[in-house]
Amino acid sequence: MADLLPEKWMKGIAITTTILAVIAAIASSRSSFFVAKAQLLTALEGSQWSYYQAKSIKQYLFETQQKAFAINLLGATTAEQRDLMTKNVQDYSKDIARYDQEKAGIKKQAEATNKESALVVKRGGQFSLSVVFAQIGIMLSSVGALLKRKEIWIVGLIIGSVSLIFLANGFLLFL
């Protein structure tokens, strides 16, 4: 009878190790996906902020040109010159307002991308932690089998269970 008990829990070790290996594989795959997605989102966000900067530079050029026309308007001697300068100042004002609107939209997109990226990084981190705890659980289960020490396997089972929590949190983000 004493020989049967080790055999029963040894089957438990085999099943536990297999389940933890599957969890580690799923978590590793999801972690890789989210790492790649985070890199893409970071590049996209950088591109959006560069576009915002380009619009800011163009707006600054328009503001500078508008100021130059406003100064020239002060020195205009004829009604025709004043009308032309006034029209130019108004046209530049419209363009400056357009750039303000465009920049606001670009800024909103970049900030949304930043928030999405932070969420993706958090999810990826949860999957990475799941891999770590699953691997520790596998290692402890293996050592428990090798040494025929049930308590080491139980500790591995507990630590492996933590990997399930991180795996579920990676999918659902409840923590």
Side-chain angles (χ1 to χ4, degrees):
M1 178 123 167
D3 291 343
L4 292 176
L5 287 177
E7 192 172 305
K8 279 186 178 180
W9 71 269
M10 287 293 222
K11 287 180 183 177
I13 287 179
I15 291 169
T16 301
T17 304
T18 302
I19 290 170
L20 289 175
V22 169
I23 290 169
I26 292 169
S28 178
S29 172
R30 298 310 297 164
S31 177
S32 296
F33 169 79
F34 283 107
V35 165
K37 188 172 181 177
Q39 289 173 339
L40 289 173
L41 287 171
T42 300
L44 177 62
E45 182 186 2
S47 177
Q48 289 167 331
W49 283 118
S50 294
Y51 188 47
Y52 178 89
Q53 180 117 16
K55 291 289 184 178
S56 294
I57 292 168
K58 288 180 180 179
Q59 181 181 6
Y60 176 75
L61 291 173
F62 275 81
E63 289 169 350
T64 303
Q65 193 62 40
Q66 180 192 36
K67 289 174 186 173
F69 279 121
I71 291 170
N72 288 337
L73 179 62
L74 296 174
T77 55
T78 66
E80 186 178 281
Q81 286 178 336
R82 279 192 296 275
D83 290 344
L84 180 62
M85 296 295 169
T86 301
K87 182 184 179 317
N88 285 336
V89 168
Q90 290 170 348
D91 288 345
Y92 279 102
S93 292
K94 289 176 189 174
D95 288 330
I96 291 167
R98 178 177 53 87
Y99 279 116
D100 272 337
Q101 286 180 334
E102 290 174 358
K103 283 177 18 186
I106 295 166
K107 181 179 180 182
K108 189 175 178 182
Q109 285 178 327
E111 289 171 346
T113 301
N114 181 278
K115 285 180 184 176
E116 183 181 359
S117 180
L119 187 63
V120 164
V121 166
K122 182 177 180 181
R123 290 180 80 178
Q126 295 299 298
F127 287 118
S128 293
L129 286 170
S130 178
V131 171
V132 169
F133 282 98
Q135 289 176 339
I136 292 170
I138 291 168
M139 183 271 310
L140 287 172
S141 292
S142 299
V143 169
L146 196 65
L147 299 177
K148 296 187 179 186
R149 302 268 315 261
K150 191 174 182 180
E151 58 275 3
I152 295 175
W153 167 60
I154 291 170
V155 171
L157 189 60
I158 292 167
I159 291 175
S161 297
V162 172
S163 75
L164 275 173
I165 294 167
F166 283 112
L167 181 70
N169 196 43
F171 284 113
L172 305 173
L173 286 181
F174 53 83
L175 295 176

